[in-house]
Amino acid sequence: MFEAAAEGMSVDERAALQAGRLRDLVRRLLAGDGVQGRRLRDTGIGHEGDVDGLDGLPTTGKQDLWESYPLGMLAVPRADVVAVHGSSGTGGRPTLVGYTRGDLELWARMCARALVAAGATAASTVHNAYGYGLFTGGLGIHQGALALGATVVPMSAGQTDRQLRLLRDLEADVLTCTPSYAIRLGEAGVATKLKVGIFGAEPWSEALRARIESLLPIKALDIYGLSEVIGPGVAAECLEQDGLHVNEDHFLVETLDPDGRPTAPGVPGELTFSTPTKEALPLLRYRTGDVASLRPGACACGRTLVRMSKVTGRVDDMVVVRGVNVYPSEVEAVLLAEPGVSPHYLLVVDRRAAATRLVVACEGGHGPAVEAALTARLGVRTDVRVLPPGTVPRTEAGKARRRVDWTDGPAPLRGLE
Ligand code: DLL
């Protein structure tokens, strides 16, 4: 472990640490004049910030960040902000996040924890193909690798030929990129010295994991995070591949039901984070929109941190077709279980007529068989279009686009009409 005392701490000791940190956060927010402090005051919490736990405290959402764009929610003087990151966001509107020097240092340690959980050491070479820039993937992992003392190859995304060349020539043992880009690199069929990959920034199924592990071949691990909370390194899998360890000494996690009540262990809910040790943008109960479940209990690796499941969907990503709820992740699981179907697919939600139609564009496989498997799993009929290889767009940089809404105009892909 990179920080064994924190990652392997007893559950009681950690609970006490979390309670103290939460009270500090509440006091800090109450002392400021921001939206979070106002909400706390409205809830009737006194300035001494004596709270028992998270339940009942007000929540925060993306809307709050949008409304205070660009950096209105800062809890420190602007002069203390040393970097800005963010994301284009699921809704297309940018979300910006400021970092103090302390925030960057915390972030580096969280990413170093993820690298060590994947078996990386100071002797490792990390081929980092997450995009560098405003996106947190590239620079987050980069700083984590530096904190670990590994050798980082700052490839950024794109230019696949050059990536393959440097993978071979520098003999990296750790690959970091989006899972869709890992498929892209794997399909090139180049022999490497890679042992493990740390993939995240977009949802990916167990079926995609199996595909990546056989293509590259490596151990494929999941890493989760979001810029609002810090970036990658909020949670990450270890080599046991049995859930993502949430760094809950710094990121208090809950899963909430649609009414805002915590769900029981194992029951999926909306991931909600509080960040008591963040300086520039501390968040109280930030609702992420991501759906997963939580599981307490020690892992065989020795970490005692609560584990989250893979993200199974987004609260806003569910497609309702004839009353049936469909998640893109389920479509992916079905497709990859079908023989001959490539990992490149697009779920097209055709909303041109009053009745929504689901079209699944894929490459390879036997159309009627895929259709039957999808109907059986989803409980709703889909139109499967098997397109010629190379038709479904690949991701060179950034996150894979797995779902598109077709509201009017020409089809989003040729061959769908
Ligand atoms: O994607 C941070 C990151 C970079 C995580 C590199 C992992 C690796 P954002 O651009 O702000 O930050 O996007 C955050 O991406 O709310 C999820 O919806 C999604 N996401 C991130 N990691 C995963 C994952 C980065 N492992 C949003 N599985 C989040 C599923 C993920 N979805």
Side-chain angles (χ1 to χ4, degrees):
M1 291 180 225
F2 184 67
E3 294 181 315
E7 296 172 75
M9 184 179 276
S10 83
V11 171
D12 291 345
E13 210 183 329
R14 184 178 298 118
L17 177 75
Q18 289 173 322
R21 285 184 172 171
L22 176 61
R23 278 193 287 274
D24 285 347
L25 169 64
V26 168
R27 275 196 288 271
R28 198 147 53 103
L29 293 175
L30 281 167
D33 60 356
V35 55
Q36 300 187 94
R38 260 197 317 277
R39 273 187 206 142
L40 277 168
R41 281 191 287 276
D42 291 348
T43 322
I45 292 174
H47 63 271
E48 67 285 1
D50 231 349
V51 295
D52 265 345
L54 289 161
D55 205 9
L57 299 185
T59 60
T60 321
K62 199 162 212 128
Q63 190 68 31
D64 295 316
L65 287 164
W66 283 339
E67 280 169 11
S68 62
Y69 182 86
L71 291 173
M73 281 176 74
L74 284 185
V76 295
R78 179 63 197 265
D80 291 351
V81 173
V82 299
V84 175
H85 282 280
S87 70
S88 52
T90 31
R93 286 160 86 174
T95 310
L96 294 182
V97 179
Y99 296 72
T100 63
R101 202 168 288 289
D103 292 333
L104 289 185
E105 189 261 342
L106 170 68
W107 188 19
R109 289 195 282 124
M110 297 303 107
C111 286
R113 283 188 189 181
L115 287 162
V116 172
T121 66
S124 294
T125 297
V126 180
H127 183 102
N128 186 18
Y130 284 116
Y132 279 61
L134 213 49
F135 174 57
T136 51
L139 282 158
I141 297 291
H142 184 95
Q143 292 164 101
L146 293 183
L148 175 60
T151 306
V152 61
V153 186
M155 284 306 299
S156 198
Q159 301 195 312
T160 304
D161 286 343
R162 201 158 63 127
Q163 302 253 1
L164 292 167
R165 172 167 194 141
L166 288 201
L167 263 176
R168 223 182 28 226
D169 294 352
L170 292 171
E171 304 190 331
D173 49 333
V174 182
L175 171 65
T176 53
C177 61
T178 60
S180 46
Y181 197 57
I183 289 278
R184 187 79 206 281
L185 292 171
E187 281 176 342
V190 171
T192 69
K193 293 272 168 56
L194 288 171
K195 289 200 197 97
V196 68
I198 309 177
F199 307 124
E202 61 190 25
W204 52 305
S205 61
E206 286 298 336
L208 199 71
R209 187 202 306 266
R211 196 61 72 96
I212 294 172
E213 292 197 332
S214 70
L215 265 176
L216 270 163
I218 52 167
K219 247 190 167 192
L221 306 183
D222 199 348
I223 182 167
Y224 170 84
L226 60 163
S227 7
E228 298 93 306
V229 170
I230 205 155
V234 173
E237 276 182 332
C238 66
L239 289 165
E240 300 291 330
Q241 297 177 311
D242 191 17
L244 289 81
H245 296 281
V246 181
N247 286 316
E248 56 169 334
D249 44 338
H250 296 284
F251 314 118
L252 313 188
V253 63
E254 306 168 87
T255 43
L256 302 184
D257 71 14
D259 297 324
R261 280 188 301 258
T263 65
V267 177
E270 181 176 0
L271 285 170
T272 301
F273 290 98
S274 301
T275 64
T277 55
K278 280 266 304 284
E279 294 172 344
L281 181 67
L283 291 170
L284 181 64
R285 303 191 89 197
Y286 183 79
R287 299 186 70 141
T288 64
D290 296 322
V291 177
S293 61
L294 295 175
R295 186 160 49 108
C299 177
C301 71
R303 288 176 183 81
T304 51
L305 299 160
V306 69
R307 277 170 284 171
M308 62 177 249
S309 67
K310 271 182 159 302
V311 172
T312 51
R314 293 209 28 100
V315 287
D316 46 13
D317 206 18
M318 192 177 73
V319 191
V320 184
V321 192
R322 294 185 284 283
V324 178
N325 301 344
V326 175
Y327 284 100
S329 57
E330 285 202 82
V331 173
E332 176 173 304
V334 172
L335 287 180
L336 295 185
E338 282 298 304
V341 179
S342 99
H344 308 286
Y345 70 95
L346 189 66
L347 173 63
V348 180
V349 187
D350 179 1
R351 298 189 189 278
R352 290 168 308 155
T356 301
R357 188 174 68 113
L358 274 189
V359 188
V360 176
C362 60
E363 298 173 6
H366 179 54
V370 176
E371 231 168 61
L374 280 169
T375 306
R377 168 82 174 248
L378 306 178
V380 68
R381 220 184 72 76
T382 56
D383 289 336
V384 171
R385 293 281 186 282
V386 180
L387 303 178
T391 317
V392 177
R394 269 58 167 164
T395 19
E396 259 286 312
K399 307 187 185 221
R401 200 157 160 240
R402 302 294 199 196
R403 177 197 150 174
V404 52
D405 281 23
W406 182 8
T407 45
D408 55 17
L413 275 184
R414 257 188 306 161
L416 289 193
E417 291 80 2

